Amino acid sequence: MAHARIEIAPSILAANFSKLGDEVRAVEQGAADVIHVDVMDGRFVPNISIGIPVVVSLRNATRLPLDVHLMIERPERYVEEFVRAGANRVLVHEEATPHLDRALAMIRESGAEAGAAINPATPVSMLTEVLDKLDTVLVMSVNPGFGGQKFIPGALEKIRQLNQWRVRYNGAFRIEVDGGVEAENVAELAQAGANTFVAGTSIFHTPDPAAAARRLRKLALEAVSQKV
Ligand code: DX5
Ligand code: ZN
């Protein structure tokens, strides 16, 4: 089945920024598939994180794809710059622009994979008209802005619904989940149809981030193979 693949995407928001290169290499050893980079502007979300120079540095520090989650107003203003900086995947919020279709087209035209993210209060139906422009749908399972928050269970139903759409549309997009992902819920999320698991706290706030990433992957894979 298309997109049955499981990906672990450590979120560097929870890493120690004074040794970011080491942190990224550690999770690379832990068989991370993608590095998730949270960009926040203090407007779309009530927090400010990192931007283009950090993406450039990360690009030089790892071969893994960079999954750049733009929690910024009017993300289309910066899409090209982030791709030039080294983003392989760019995710924009449906709530952050009146021109989602244009923003997604810009991402692909710039040479990256395009994703749309939806907040907990946004129904998946907001994406019906752009499904053909999406490589990824990102279901937020916390209100974006901060790491270490509690998983909001409503995300599971959204993932199930997207999974059904995907069957209808021949598996054309990946389902990513972000926020409060940990060993306790990763199996259920994988069974619901999620492919890409973003995890910050449950990977970097442990004594052995590589082992934590490996464990999440194992639990997700087991859950999917048990289901078949
Ligand atoms: C939240 C960010 C997440 C965050 C997840 O706004 O989009 O990527 O880093 O952190 P955890 O895994 O700690 O919930
Ligand atoms: Zn994120």
Side-chain angles (χ1 to χ4, degrees):
M1 189 184 114
H3 289 299
R5 202 172 125 74
I6 296 292
E7 298 181 323
I8 301 300
S11 166
I12 56 151
L13 189 64
N16 179 342
F17 283 107
S18 73
K19 49 170 191 162
L20 199 47
D22 293 344
E23 297 271 69
V24 167
R25 277 183 285 279
V27 290
E28 248 179 57
Q29 299 291 316
D33 301 277
V34 200
I35 299 294
H36 185 82
V37 184
D38 288 305
V39 177
M40 304 179 185
D41 67 353
R43 288 178 65 89
F44 180 67
V45 289
N47 195 8
I48 298 175
S49 59
I50 53 167
I52 290 159
V54 178
V55 174
V56 172
S57 300
L58 283 168
R59 182 67 293 151
N60 293 321
T62 181
R63 290 210 191 121
L64 291 180
L66 298 178
D67 190 49
V68 177
H69 178 191
L70 296 182
M71 285 163 275
I72 66 177
E73 289 288 354
R74 303 296 300 256
E76 60 274 20
R77 294 174 298 154
Y78 292 103
V79 158
E80 285 165 3
E81 271 187 83
F82 274 102
V83 175
R84 223 178 299 132
N88 303 88
R89 305 176 181 180
V90 178
L91 303 147
V92 295
H93 269 264
E94 185 276 334
E95 307 85 357
T97 175
H99 300 294
L100 182 63
D101 183 275
R102 179 185 292 152
L104 294 170
M106 280 176 73
I107 299 171
R108 283 191 173 169
E109 277 160 25
S110 306
E113 291 185 22
I118 49 171
N119 280 339
T122 303
V124 291
S125 58
M126 294 306 284
L127 302 178
T128 47
E129 301 304 320
V130 292
L131 284 181
D132 61 330
K133 294 198 168 63
L134 290 171
D135 299 296
T136 302
V137 175
L138 172 56
V139 176
M140 289 306 299
S141 40
V142 297
N143 285 294
F146 303 94
Q149 301 182 80
K150 203 170 159 327
F151 180 83
I152 298 174
L156 265 169
E157 199 42 51
K158 289 188 186 176
I159 293 168
R160 288 192 191 108
Q161 167 141 29
L162 284 163
N163 198 31
Q164 284 173 7
W165 283 4
R166 187 159 56 171
V167 172
R168 204 182 307 157
Y169 290 93
N170 283 331
F173 54 88
R174 213 183 270 123
I175 302 174
E176 179 165 344
V177 57
D178 184 5
V181 174
E182 55 187 1
E184 287 67 29
N185 56 23
V186 73
E188 202 176 3
L189 289 164
Q191 279 172 359
N195 311 106
T196 306
F197 299 84
V198 178
T201 304
S202 67
I203 289 182
F204 286 110
H205 292 192
T206 67
D208 187 347
R214 248 183 253 118
R215 176 152 180 253
L216 287 179
R217 160 192 288 281
K218 185 166 176 279
L219 291 168
L221 278 172
E222 281 171 2
V224 179
S225 55
Q226 274 163 17
K227 202 188 165 198
V228 183

